Amino acid sequence: MDSPAPRRAAPEDARAVADLLIRSRRAAIGTIPDAVHADDEVREWIRAVVIPEREVWLMEDAGDRPLAVLVLDEGWVDQLYVDPACTGRGLGSQLIEFAKSRRPAGLQLWTFATNTGAQRFYLRHGFSVAETTDGSGNEEKAPDIRFVWSAPP
């Protein structure tokens, strides 16, 4: 059975979106750097900035509980997280393909150099490495990689 289509997040989804990001980041400790913002700061950022200013898309279960979230900011995949209990079900793949359909001119994103699973995921989905940094330009001060995707000619 196919998964339902992504649904655009609304202001009332802010708490659930923030909690999904927080849960996912916590589950990835050791793969990505520790969060530099407190949970309440993340929740406020999602509520005040992300939901009103960016495209936020959710994949949900039958009970409307968010299982995965995609945040697009212009031509950037700003956030892509899957609930740790739901990885390996194709939700991230469905969202990244959806992102490509929303941005056919191309996409880019950052991932941490330590996040080899994300790197394999993006390479598998047609992204390529455009740049590597020492991390001095991100809040975590952790080396990162910029990936780009361009539609085939």
Side-chain angles (χ1 to χ4, degrees):
M1 183 170 135
D2 289 333
S3 298
R7 174 182 70 80
R8 182 84 182 251
E12 58 270 18
D13 296 310
R15 177 69 184 234
V17 168
D19 288 349
L20 175 58
L21 264 66
I22 291 164
R23 227 178 12 262
S24 298
R25 281 200 65 118
R26 280 205 181 106
I29 289 177
T31 304
I32 64 174
D34 291 344
V36 297
H37 296 285
D39 293 355
D40 286 342
E41 291 175 310
V42 172
R43 288 184 185 104
E44 179 59 17
W45 174 67
I46 295 293
R47 185 198 67 73
V49 177
V50 176
I51 297 281
E53 297 179 9
R54 300 181 186 152
E55 277 187 50
V56 182
W57 296 91
L58 300 172
M59 297 295 294
E60 300 172 314
D61 65 13
D64 297 330
R65 185 177 69 94
L67 304 178
V69 62
L70 165 72
V71 179
L72 294 173
D73 187 8
E74 303 291 331
W76 288 86
V77 175
D78 187 53
Q79 309 286 327
L80 177 60
Y81 285 102
V82 175
D83 188 290
C86 301
T87 59
R89 296 185 190 175
L91 297 169
S93 293
Q94 190 173 345
L95 282 174
I96 205 67
E97 293 305 315
F98 179 75
K100 290 176 181 179
S101 75
R102 300 281 303 163
R103 300 294 188 275
L107 287 165
Q108 51 189 331
L109 60 91
W110 289 100
T111 191
F112 292 108
T114 54
N115 194 348
T116 56
Q119 292 166 43
R120 285 191 305 272
F121 173 84
Y122 292 117
L123 290 168
R124 194 168 60 245
H125 286 281
F127 285 75
S128 58
V129 173
E131 173 185 10
T132 59
T133 80
D134 63 4
S136 58
N138 65 47
E139 290 182 308
E140 294 85 355
K141 302 301 178 212
D144 55 5
I145 302 169
R146 184 170 61 92
F147 282 86
V148 297
W149 169 81
S150 299

